[in-house]
Amino acid sequence: MTRQADTVVRHGWAAVFLDMHPSLSWSEGGLTIDTPCDGRIFWSRSLILLPSVHAHRPGLFTDVHKQRDTALAYPAGRVESAPATADRPLGQVLGRTRLALLKSLGLARTTAELAEIHELTAGSISYHLTRLHTAGLVHRQRRGRSVYYRRSSQADLLIHGVGD
């Protein structure tokens, strides 16, 4: 918790949530959890952060009557320090940056959003996305003046495995 408080002060909330788990990101003043479910939760009170040694993925707990605070349970400790994860070989092949980009592309995002989340330049993000797109791991879709990127089904299999 001390490490996270220091990260907030030095780098902001976006860095804290990304450090908690790759499926979490903070952009435009909102928390995004990369899940197969769609939905929005608005809370008017505080968000309680609950590190858990039992959680493998983040979970959000909210009171529909808004009488209690919303809580986010997340895996305690750094995700990349977990022993013998499937990400290690994949990360060695793709590289740390491209793996992190793929993990945050469960939801469609623009280059600017990804640059903010990962604290990289838009040019660097664009370079990596072009390589991922060429490999068939990312799909592009133009919406008006913006281009949105999203992880492909092949990338889902690489990240989550066939049995997931």
Side-chain angles (χ1 to χ4, degrees), residues 53 55-56 75-89:
V53 295
H56 298 289
R78 292 180 185 250
V79 174
E80 61 265 10
S81 66
T85 64
D87 292 345
R88 287 188 178 167

Side-chain angles (χ1 to χ4, degrees), residues 3-16 116-117 119:
R3 177 176 48 85
Q4 289 171 349
D6 184 57
T7 302
V8 170
V9 171
R10 292 175 188 258
H11 306 289
W13 281 105
V16 171
E116 180 184 335
I117 291 167
E119 297 181 347

